[in-house]
Amino acid sequence: MVSNKPHSQSIIFNDYGYSQEKLLDLYSSMLKPRMIEEKMLILLRQGKISKWFSGIGQEAISVGVTKAMQEDEYILPMHRNLGVFTSRNIPLNRLFSQWQGKASGFTKGRDRSFHFGTQEFKIVGMISHLGPQMGVADGIALGHILKNEQKVSAVFTGEGGTSEGDFHEALNIASVWDLPVLFCIENNGYGLSTPTTEQFRCKDLADRGAGYGMESHIIDGNNILEVYEKISGITESMRVDPRPVLIEFKTFRMRGHEEASGTKYVPQKLMDEWEQKDPIMNFQQHLYDKGILNDELLNEIRKDIQAEIDENLQLAFSENSIESNSTKELNDVFEKFVYQEVSADSEKENIRYVDAISRALKESVQRHDNLVLMGQDIADYGGVFKITEGFSEEFGKDRIRNTPICESAIVGTAMGLSINGMKAMVEMQFSDFVSSGFNPIVNYLAKIKYRWDQNADVVIRMPCGGGVGAGPFHSQTNEAWFTKIPGLKVVYPAFPYDAKGLLNTAFNDPNPVLFFEHKALYRSIRQDVPVDYYTLPFGKASIIKEGSQASIITYGAGVHWALEIIEEMGYNNVELIDLRSLQPLDVNSICESVTKTGKAIILTEDSLFGSLASEIAALISENCFESLDAPVMRVGSLETPIPFAQNLEKEYLPKDRFRDKLQDLIEY
């Protein structure tokens, strides 16, 4: 509790010539989050809020950094950075409503505490996985560079978070690309209960900057004037000379990781030492000693803050509990997208699947001047499949960007570009490598619209599939990892015409799209494709062949396997459905076909357990049961990793088994 009693001053302050008004503003800006926290701790004990992560003892960092930033510069705080939110003057009733899960908050009750962002106040809140927000800060900063804006983005992490791979990936990207990101480490001694001695071996975390060729500084995180002065100077320099800077703030957390944790694991002597370094009490005593602050003025400041807290708490408490329904909830998973069909009446050219992908990319880069393509080796080299060959010469390396091998932070960077009003594409060199970027896709891109109404305008291209002897790490078809994640769209074309039209739509759609491209089709499948730009809708299957004997439902390479086997076996009266779009899925076309034929077989290159084929089989059984004349059949790859040797891969893939299964279905 902050008091008016004299305090033994443990911090030496330099006023840097600041006016009395500035000094008092910095003081009251720290006092405000402290007083809010003290109130929240009371409400927590009363059961009126569910959880609290305390920043008591660290207020000088949040306040000093925020005050040094321009109001239209993005800050990405953590859950101990209340001072960021209050210094950006977010109405307190909205903060209090957020913590109570009410409608006036920022997430419509869908996320808690500080897990939110707001474009209005240029704050991008954390997710519990901590690390991904570092890459997001890179993307925001890259957006500023590409738009020729002299802006800085600031991102916070704790010393524990610096052990995450995303931290290192983000620092590397920022350094290689000279991005104006202020990386703020709040070293408060403990990651929950684990002391720094058990987290890293370097003397200071700031030393890690040298490994990335990055400027770094150590700042006393409890000295508000040192924080504000040094960060003001550093950010001013970064705006003129764009570059990343790593800051280690030495500080301490005076309460538990969250209130239920307690602090029994902290030696009392250490607690006593840091209590003497309290940032507010020390600065308060300094202002008393300078004659700038006295009891009367302090009481007035406290009275004003307390009145603001009480008034806004009353507003939050008087607000009704949030109400919703399934329609509202489902409608907020994706950013609204009104598909606009663009037809091409131009001449057609017989091109390969890989050419169709390349042309869609080129047309979309031309059409969207805010679109940035990122991926390993995609610039001068043109990517491992040569899809972007010549792009960097035509569009420049600012927009066609080679990336370090760091899938996770690059996905985060794409998210940051979207937050900063741009579009991004990430090419996974092989879809197998997406496992290294899985976390930001399923926990950041997929959830952000639902959480706080921010869309993720990101396309992730996924060269996938077997049949090319590439072995276990370059052959997976892993679409099922993503089709079950709400918030992601998944597209998987089988023909050049579809690939071009659907990829163009993917770049128009403001939602995250995973675009699967089967490598074995790249140079083996040709088709007449319009030369001009056109689009195709998501969620609409293609009826490749009409019939009434049975329904074959498949996608990707499975379409071509099915066509070959149908012709080989002389089954001229079967219906073949190419799904094209897996999420959204064209359930109507599936059910209409199965209702007509009475028999269904689903072919997937994926292994069966947990596959999309299993989900489609369940949908058919649930919706078309009375029309079925035979069990719904599924055919997929073996339940093994994908082998390398040609004869083993042939046995792994489902093509031959599909032939037998289709015959069983027809003859049932």
Side-chain angles (χ1 to χ4, degrees):
M1 178 73 71
V2 177
S3 71
N4 296 29
K5 295 179 181 179
H7 185 272
S8 177
Q9 194 172 322
S10 301
I11 299 173
I12 305 302
F13 294 96
N14 180 343
D15 289 348
Y16 300 103
Y18 294 146
S19 66
Q20 291 189 14
E21 290 76 16
K22 170 59 73 175
L23 297 173
L24 285 172
D25 176 65
L26 291 172
Y27 172 75
S28 61
S29 294
M30 285 196 297
L31 183 61
K32 186 174 182 177
R34 174 70 64 88
M35 290 179 64
I36 292 172
E37 281 217 45
E38 290 169 350
K39 182 63 176 180
M40 292 304 114
L41 294 176
I42 293 172
L43 296 177
L44 183 68
R45 290 192 292 271
Q46 294 174 344
K48 295 182 178 179
I49 59 173
S50 62
K51 207 172 188 67
W52 189 256
F53 295 88
S54 177
I56 288 178
Q58 300 181 199
E59 293 91 348
I61 302 170
S62 299
V63 171
V65 170
T66 307
K67 291 285 188 178
M69 299 282 287
Q70 296 175 356
E71 288 189 1
D72 61 351
E73 291 179 324
Y74 285 92
I75 302 179
L76 294 83
M78 300 278 281
H79 47 33
R80 242 175 286 286
N81 296 125
L82 175 58
V84 170
F85 297 85
T86 55
S87 295
R88 279 282 163 96
N89 296 313
I90 290 181
L92 293 190
N93 71 297
R94 296 200 66 190
L95 278 179
F96 299 154
S97 290
Q98 170 67 23
W99 301 336
Q100 295 176 41
K102 294 186 175 180
S104 292
F106 295 87
T107 63
K108 299 182 181 179
R110 295 165 182 163
D111 214 333
R112 65 182 189 180
S113 61
F114 298 101
H115 293 206
F116 72 91
T118 162
Q119 285 284 8
E120 181 182 358
F121 298 97
K122 293 295 183 284
I123 290 176
V124 178
M126 61 175 291
I127 68 170
S128 293
H129 302 72
L130 308 181
Q133 70 184 40
M134 313 298 284
V136 174
D138 282 351
I140 292 171
L142 176 58
H144 290 316
I145 292 291
L146 296 177
K147 292 188 284 188
N148 294 313
E149 298 171 340
Q150 292 184 316
K151 301 292 180 187
V152 173
S153 65
V155 59
F156 285 83
T157 189
E159 82 293 326
T162 65
S163 294
E164 291 192 304
D166 286 86
F167 173 82
H168 298 277
E169 290 187 12
L171 263 64
N172 192 48
I173 292 168
S175 181
V176 170
W177 289 354
D178 292 319
L179 301 178
V181 182
L182 188 73
F183 293 99
C184 302
I185 305 171
E186 294 180 295
N187 185 351
N188 60 25
Y190 287 85
L192 208 156
S193 68
T194 305
T196 53
T197 55
E198 297 178 26
Q199 295 186 61
F200 52 84
R201 277 291 182 261
C202 55
K203 178 179 179 292
D204 298 302
L205 289 168
D207 294 343
R208 293 183 172 175
Y212 301 99
M214 185 182 299
E215 175 185 339
S216 64
H217 302 269
I218 296 174
I219 295 177
D220 180 355
N222 285 31
N223 185 330
I224 180 62
L225 296 182
E226 182 178 339
V227 173
Y228 178 73
E229 172 68 15
K230 290 188 175 180
I231 297 302
S232 294
I234 291 168
T235 53
E236 184 177 349
S237 171
M238 290 169 66
R239 294 180 192 107
V240 177
D241 177 20
R243 67 192 188 281
V245 177
L246 179 65
I247 308 292
E248 180 182 1
F249 294 102
K250 302 287 191 180
T251 186
F252 197 74
R253 164 166 52 80
M254 295 303 295
R255 302 191 69 86
H257 169 73
E258 47 88 24
E259 284 306 302
S261 305
T263 56
K264 289 184 179 180
Y265 49 84
V266 182
Q268 187 58 47
K269 181 181 179 182
L270 190 59
M271 292 289 290
D272 293 341
E273 288 177 2
W274 279 99
E275 185 176 6
Q276 291 302 308
K277 298 177 183 178
D278 182 287
I280 298 177
M281 293 303 297
N282 274 274
F283 191 45
Q284 177 178 298
Q285 188 60 50
H286 174 72
L287 296 180
Y288 265 83
D289 294 344
K290 297 276 291 186
I292 296 172
L293 187 64
N294 54 47
D295 287 351
E296 181 180 357
L297 180 54
L298 177 57
N299 288 335
E300 183 180 331
I301 293 171
R302 289 180 59 87
K303 181 180 178 182
D304 289 344
I305 295 174
Q306 191 63 56
E308 184 183 2
I309 293 172
D310 292 342
E311 178 184 350
N312 284 278
L313 266 178
Q314 184 58 43
L315 287 173
F317 281 133
S318 63
E319 186 177 352
N320 293 331
S321 297
I322 196 162
E323 294 182 1
S324 190
N325 55 53
S326 58
T327 299
K328 290 180 181 178
E329 296 301 295
L330 290 169
N331 284 344
D332 280 352
V333 173
F334 291 103
E335 180 79 7
K336 186 176 181 181
F337 172 52
V338 179
Y339 169 72
Q340 293 184 335
E341 182 172 354
V342 179
S343 299
D345 298 324
S346 61
E347 62 176 310
K348 294 182 179 180
E349 184 179 359
N350 190 261
I351 60 174
R352 302 168 300 175
Y353 188 106
V354 70
D355 303 321
I357 296 292
S358 181
R359 293 186 183 187
L361 285 171
K362 181 173 288 189
E363 290 171 359
S364 291
V365 173
Q366 292 168 339
R367 194 176 186 88
H368 303 286
D369 59 9
N370 64 340
L371 171 59
V372 179
L373 309 187
M374 299 182 289
Q376 295 159 27
D377 306 296
I378 71 167
D380 293 338
Y381 189 69
V384 294
F385 300 105
K386 301 300 181 181
I387 288 175
T388 53
E389 192 168 22
F391 278 37
S392 60
E393 289 85 351
E394 182 172 351
F395 301 110
K397 288 189 176 181
D398 277 349
R399 297 184 66 193
I400 315 299
R401 305 185 74 91
N402 282 336
T403 70
I405 301 177
C406 45
E407 287 83 0
S408 188
I410 287 298
V411 173
T413 300
M415 181 69 251
L417 282 168
S418 180
I419 288 172
N420 206 356
M422 302 190 73
K423 290 177 174 286
M425 183 222 75
V426 176
E427 179 191 285
M428 293 292 159
Q429 200 166 69
F430 295 87
S431 71
D432 313 66
F433 300 164
V434 77
S435 56
S436 295
F438 190 74
N439 179 28
I441 293 174
V442 302
N443 286 312
Y444 215 121
L445 271 61
K447 294 179 171 66
I448 191 167
K449 166 63 183 176
Y450 178 75
R451 289 172 54 237
W452 57 275
D453 199 28
Q454 169 64 51
N455 70 303
D457 200 341
V458 178
V459 174
I460 300 179
R461 290 184 40 247
M462 303 277 281
C464 65
V468 293
F473 304 116
H474 297 78
S475 305
Q476 293 178 88
T477 179
N478 44 9
E479 67 279 357
W481 294 3
F482 304 101
T483 50
K484 77 172 305 306
I485 304 296
L488 299 177
K489 297 187 178 183
V490 182
V491 181
Y492 202 145
F495 293 94
Y497 175 79
D498 293 338
K500 181 178 175 181
L502 290 169
L503 186 52
N504 281 331
T505 298
F507 286 115
N508 294 336
D509 194 320
N511 294 287
V513 179
L514 280 88
F515 197 90
F516 285 81
E517 307 162 9
H518 202 290
K519 304 188 300 293
L521 305 182
Y522 271 158
R523 290 171 170 82
S524 65
I525 301 298
R526 304 185 73 97
Q527 194 178 30
D528 290 338
V529 176
V531 173
D532 289 346
Y533 179 92
Y534 64 94
T535 62
L536 292 172
F538 291 169
K540 183 61 180 174
S542 175
I543 309 301
I544 302 295
K545 186 178 182 300
E546 294 189 358
S548 59
Q549 197 172 11
S551 300
I552 302 172
I553 302 153
T554 186
Y555 54 95
V559 177
H560 301 281
W561 297 337
L563 282 169
E564 179 184 332
I565 290 169
I566 289 169
E567 182 178 356
E568 173 193 314
M569 300 181 74
Y571 291 144
N572 299 317
N573 194 27
V574 296
E575 188 146 291
L576 176 58
I577 300 176
D578 175 9
L579 293 174
R580 303 194 299 185
S581 171
L582 310 185
Q583 184 61 267
L585 183 67
D586 189 353
V587 177
N588 287 337
S589 290
I590 294 171
C591 289
E592 286 174 6
S593 177
V594 174
T595 299
K596 176 176 65 174
T597 66
K599 294 181 178 180
I601 183 168
I602 306 114
L603 171 62
T604 179
E605 187 175 334
D606 195 4
S607 53
L608 282 181
F609 191 86
S611 66
L612 182 64
S614 298
E615 182 62 26
I616 293 172
L619 285 168
I620 293 171
S621 296
E622 185 175 350
N623 294 287
C624 310
F625 180 77
E626 293 182 353
S627 300
L628 291 174
D629 297 324
V632 179
M633 296 188 179
R634 302 171 299 145
V635 186
S637 294
L638 292 181
E639 300 288 338
T640 71
I642 306 177
F644 155 68
Q646 185 177 14
N647 61 326
L648 296 180
E649 186 178 38
K650 185 174 184 293
E651 175 64 23
Y652 167 85
L653 292 170
K655 182 178 177 181
D656 289 341
R657 289 187 296 279
F658 174 71
R659 181 183 292 105
D660 297 335
K661 203 80 166 178
L662 178 60
Q663 182 174 348
D664 290 344
L665 179 64
I666 297 295
E667 296 176 356
Y668 187 87

